Amino acid sequence: MAEFKATADIPAWLQAIRDKQKPVAEAAVAALRETAANSVQEGRRDIAAAGRFGTAWQEGLKYRTKGAKEGNTPSLNAQATIYHRYGIAAVFEHGAVISGKPLLWIPTTPGGPAPSKSGKKLVSATINGRPMLFDKGDPDRHRKPLYVGVPSVTIKKRFHITEIVKENVKRMAQLFIKHFKDD
Amino acid sequence: MAEKLSITIKLAGGEEIERQLADIGAAGQKAFGDIADAARKAGGFKNLKPEEVTAKLKEMGIVGKEAFDKISGAVATATRFQQIADVVQSIETGFAGLARGAMGLARVLGPIGIAAAAIGTKVVSAMNEAEAAIRAVDTAAIKAGMSIEKFDQLRQGFEKMGLSAQGVEQALQGIASAAEKAKIEAVTTAFKQLQEAATRGYGGIGTAQLNLLVEAAQGVGPAADAARKALTELGVTLQLPARTLADFITLAGDATQGTAAFVESLRQMPDGATRSALAIDAFKDAGVGLVQALRNGIITEDQFKERLGTITQEAANAANASVQAATQMDSAWERFKQNLLGGAAWDSVKASGLDAWNAITASIERAYDALLKFMGLRSQSPNAAPDAPGFAHGGTVGGRGTGTSDSNLAWVSRGEHIMPARAVRQPGVLALLEALRRTGGNLRGVMDGMGRFALGGVVPQLPRFADGGMVGGMQHLGTVDLRTDHGTARLMASSSAVEQLSRLAVTKRMTSTGKKPGFIG
């Protein structure tokens, strides 16, 4: 005769839940990757627009993901890190005040080496109350100073990577929907 | 020195995405209402182009403009619509399963199933409404945010879904009522048959009908009331001859008519969908064809029962599928409520729908079981004694009556052989038969065990059983009194041994009385 019963197949149910969760996790991880990639892309443009930062500076901005998979399944605990390979990049991201001990010697030639690496014997003098370093071996009476001594230097914020990432994160749900629909 | 530039984005279980989805959904839902109200004040969506709607909204002030911006943003994300599409898909699956279950059940339930399935077309109709809504919603979901017309289509899709939900709820209740009504009709039919049988003087009520009435009377509702009334009027002492196949064929004829009506109703459905066509074909093949084949004598009763069994399994599968469909619908409605309506109004709809479906399955199961009993396809068939013993391994028939009264029923098989009790009572016959039965008919073995003297020879010392004891290789087939100078002993031996010993005794007596006559060999 006919049987009217609804059986509870727990393993099948669990598998069904996993099957349901998998596309969600896949879409979420894809959204995470795209968010990070977009952040890097926009961040590089931001660095390029900041001034004298060449290709190496621009391409120094990268991202890496971690924990995107647990076993063979995508994980909702994945994370992406956007970073710059130059440690000093954070100075241009946040701005900074750099202090000397007691003075910070600024080269008068842009991009010049630090005084200790100039390869020259230096002599200090204070002109109009401003400490300067001169080449000791230069006999010219009108020699120019090689370094100017200042107590500190304020570097303005040049990069906006954090803001760019935050803006991209706000659009992560849209990316999630896009990838979820694509699946 | 500042820290390195490093910013980490964590999914954290999808928490951020989930929060954003909720925000977008809430904004979209509110804006949905705002924009709809604003559009109505502006003269309706249908009469306006998108840019005109925008202009109208601007004229209406900042609230409308903000609402428009919000809904534009929300619609562009398509968040809600993705969820809507998922929910609608679930509901559509539930509807399809429900319809399949209702149609599959109709295959074997006869008039009861036909009645239930005919009402089940309401479900199919509701499903079609849902499909139309699905198409509208799906289209809107795909092209969400593209135009205000699509937005209006979506709104209409929601409205249609609302109507469909009510329709389904009504359809489920309708099925329950139909099943109850069908059961009343079955009880009423049985009642009339019993009255007619009593009038004709059959002298009693049938077991099957009585079971049907008693079973129905044990329930609740109108059917139970009708059954109790029938029992009161008929009494329980009536007896009725067993139902015959002809009676069932009459019943099946009614089913055929109902089937034709049902098939016709399916054909008249407006959608003409493939699903309906398949259902019609399957129904015709399994239900109408089988009944007609039986009526036309193309298949035998046994073949009919066998095929009915096959369809019964299909019905079981269909019923299970229906329950699963109901479960799916439960989940779908729950999501629908949570995602779209956000209120408790649908709790009552969901509960009443499932309760109705549970009532359907329970009542149809009872009716189906009663129908099988009524058809004699259950063990309670009055054609056979309920406790008739079987003799698959042979043996002596016990019971009551004489050796020729035929007072005891038994299940026997083709090729078996039954001997009259008078023959069995003859000396040695029962033992011989038992020996043959135990040895599986090994006649030579049985005879060897007895000992044979056809060629003469000395009869070995025969065992005595006067005081009882185990019988060895020779069977107790006869007795003979052996008198010797030392006394008399009663021996039990095979018939041939008894015969020879008797002959020896006669010869001895003749020898003792003098010269034997010439006629003694």
Side-chain angles (χ1 to χ4, degrees):
Chain A
M1 73 173 282
E3 293 180 0
F4 296 82
K5 59 185 179 183
T7 57
D9 191 342
I10 299 300
W13 180 76
L14 288 174
Q15 185 59 45
I17 294 297
R18 292 192 191 101
D19 291 343
K20 289 286 184 187
Q21 185 175 333
K22 186 179 177 184
V24 172
E26 284 177 343
V29 171
L32 177 70
R33 289 183 192 278
E34 190 166 346
T35 299
N38 289 343
S39 299
V40 167
Q41 195 173 13
E42 291 178 28
R44 286 176 176 176
R45 285 199 293 269
D46 181 64
I47 292 171
R52 292 170 301 202
F53 296 97
T55 305
W57 270 94
Q58 294 167 30
E59 294 184 352
L61 187 65
K62 298 172 181 292
Y63 81 92
R64 61 172 172 261
T65 57
K66 181 180 177 184
K69 283 194 172 183
E70 291 176 355
N72 289 324
T73 57
S75 171
L76 278 173
N77 294 316
Q79 62 184 47
T81 301
I82 294 96
Y83 67 97
H84 203 289
R85 62 192 294 259
Y86 296 161
I88 200 173
V91 171
F92 301 105
E93 171 66 18
H94 304 292
V97 176
I98 303 174
S99 300
K101 298 176 183 178
L103 293 175
L104 190 67
W105 296 101
I106 308 299
T108 53
T109 305
S116 59
K117 296 181 179 177
S118 65
K120 298 174 182 174
K121 285 192 174 182
L122 302 174
V123 59
S124 65
T126 300
I127 301 174
N128 295 330
R130 183 175 292 271
M132 298 179 183
L133 293 177
F134 296 90
D135 183 356
K136 189 177 180 180
D138 187 352
D140 188 355
R141 293 187 57 191
H142 302 287
R143 60 187 177 185
K144 292 182 178 178
L146 297 180
Y147 298 92
V148 178
V150 294
S152 64
V153 172
T154 298
I155 298 178
K156 289 192 295 184
K157 176 179 174 64
R158 300 281 186 91
F159 300 163
H160 307 85
I161 309 300
T162 303
E163 289 79 0
I164 288 170
V165 172
K166 285 183 178 177
E167 284 302 311
N168 275 280
V169 167
K170 287 180 183 176
R171 295 193 290 269
M172 203 154 59
Q174 296 176 34
L175 297 175
F176 168 79
I177 294 165
K178 185 186 79 172
H179 288 289
F180 193 71
K181 292 180 74 172
D182 289 345
D183 291 340
Chain B
M1 173 64 77
E3 295 179 355
K4 285 185 177 180
L5 174 55
S6 176
I7 307 161
T8 298
I9 310 168
K10 295 180 180 179
L11 276 181
E15 193 174 299
E16 174 63 18
I17 292 177
E18 189 175 337
R19 187 190 63 75
Q20 289 183 18
L21 289 174
D23 287 347
I24 293 171
Q29 196 167 0
K30 183 178 183 307
F32 184 91
D34 292 347
I35 198 70
D37 290 341
R40 271 195 291 274
K41 292 177 182 176
F45 289 108
K46 294 177 182 177
N47 302 325
L48 297 171
K49 295 179 181 178
E51 55 271 23
E52 292 173 336
V53 172
T54 305
K56 286 279 183 184
L57 289 170
K58 286 182 178 177
E59 290 175 8
M60 294 174 65
I62 193 68
V63 174
K65 177 67 169 59
E66 283 182 350
F68 184 79
D69 291 343
K70 280 193 289 186
I71 193 60
S72 297
V75 170
T77 65
T79 303
R80 302 298 292 174
F81 304 110
Q82 178 62 44
Q83 294 180 12
I84 291 166
D86 290 344
V87 171
V88 168
Q89 181 63 40
S90 301
I91 294 172
E92 194 271 346
T93 303
F95 276 128
L98 195 62
R100 280 197 300 272
M103 292 174 182
L105 278 174
R107 296 180 183 177
V108 294
L109 295 184
I112 297 172
I114 296 301
I119 303 301
T121 56
K122 288 186 178 178
V123 174
V124 178
S125 177
M127 180 182 70
N128 294 332
E129 288 182 24
E131 280 186 342
I134 289 162
R135 280 193 289 274
V137 172
D138 192 44
T139 303
I142 292 171
K143 300 180 179 178
M146 297 300 292
S147 71
I148 206 69
E149 284 88 352
K150 298 298 179 187
F151 181 76
D152 190 40
Q153 285 183 10
L154 182 65
R155 181 181 59 80
Q156 292 178 13
F158 287 161
E159 291 177 354
K160 285 188 177 181
M161 283 304 300
L163 291 174
S164 296
Q166 293 172 356
V168 170
E169 192 266 344
Q170 291 172 358
L172 289 171
Q173 289 182 344
I175 292 176
S177 300
E180 185 67 18
K181 183 182 176 185
K183 191 167 183 179
I184 293 173
E185 290 174 352
V187 171
T188 305
T189 303
F191 176 61
K192 289 179 179 177
Q193 290 172 344
L194 292 170
Q195 281 185 320
E196 184 180 357
T199 304
R200 292 177 181 176
Y202 286 156
I205 184 172
T207 304
Q209 286 88 344
L210 181 61
N211 287 340
L212 181 64
L213 288 173
V214 169
E215 182 184 1
Q218 291 172 347
V220 294
D225 294 338
R228 283 191 285 272
K229 182 181 177 184
L231 286 172
T232 303
E233 291 189 22
L234 288 170
V236 294
T237 56
L238 296 175
Q239 295 291 321
L240 191 70
R243 297 287 300 176
T244 64
L245 181 61
D247 293 324
F248 172 68
I249 290 177
T250 303
L251 194 64
D254 297 335
T256 306
Q257 293 177 3
T259 300
F262 176 58
V263 170
E264 185 59 29
S265 68
L266 286 176
R267 287 198 183 286
Q268 290 176 355
M269 285 169 52
D271 67 325
T274 305
R275 184 185 299 117
S276 298
L278 291 174
I280 291 171
D281 292 340
F283 189 83
K284 282 181 64 179
D285 291 341
V288 181
L290 190 59
V291 171
Q292 287 180 345
L294 177 66
R295 298 193 70 183
N296 296 333
I298 298 173
I299 59 174
T300 65
E301 181 184 358
D302 289 338
Q303 289 171 329
F304 175 82
K305 289 179 180 178
E306 180 183 348
R307 295 182 191 182
L308 185 64
T310 303
I311 303 175
T312 301
Q313 185 57 48
E314 292 179 13
N317 296 338
N320 286 328
S322 298
V323 173
Q324 291 172 2
T327 305
Q328 289 176 354
M329 286 188 65
D330 178 18
S331 174
W333 284 122
E334 184 67 22
R335 290 176 56 199
F336 186 81
K337 181 194 73 175
Q338 293 293 339
N339 292 339
L340 299 180
L341 301 175
W346 289 96
D347 283 345
S348 59
V349 174
K350 181 197 66 168
S352 61
L354 283 181
D355 289 343
W357 181 250
N358 289 334
I360 294 165
T361 56
S363 62
I364 290 181
E365 182 182 19
R366 287 195 299 272
Y368 176 70
D369 191 33
L371 185 63
L372 283 184
K373 292 177 183 175
F374 190 74
M375 291 161 54
L377 296 178
R378 298 293 302 274
S379 60
Q380 289 88 339
S381 170
N383 288 321
D387 55 351
F391 288 90
H393 301 287
T396 304
V397 178
R400 60 186 179 180
T402 69
T404 56
S405 63
D406 289 343
S407 305
N408 300 286
L409 293 177
W411 293 107
V412 293
S413 302
R414 182 177 181 177
E416 293 175 341
H417 185 82
I418 299 174
M419 292 190 70
R422 186 164 58 87
V424 175
R425 282 197 299 270
Q426 295 304 310
V429 172
L430 179 59
L432 177 62
L433 293 174
E434 281 295 299
L436 287 170
R437 183 175 70 84
R438 281 195 293 268
T439 60
N442 185 0
L443 182 61
R444 174 179 286 275
V446 172
M447 295 305 291
D448 287 341
M450 291 177 180
R452 290 172 291 185
F453 298 89
L455 301 177
V458 178
V459 178
Q461 184 177 4
L462 299 175
R464 301 179 180 183
F465 295 92
D467 299 326
M470 293 293 291
V471 178
M474 184 163 57
Q475 303 299 316
H476 173 206
L477 301 177
T479 59
V480 60
D481 292 331
L482 178 63
R483 293 190 183 88
T484 67
D485 295 338
H486 305 287
T488 301
R490 171 162 291 185
L491 303 179
M492 288 169 284
S494 66
S495 57
S496 60
V498 170
E499 183 182 355
Q500 289 208 16
L501 287 170
S502 299
R503 187 177 298 171
L504 283 172
V506 171
T507 304
K508 179 69 177 175
R509 282 200 299 274
M510 288 182 175
T511 303
S512 64
T513 55
K515 185 179 180 182
K516 67 180 180 181
F519 62 85
I520 299 296

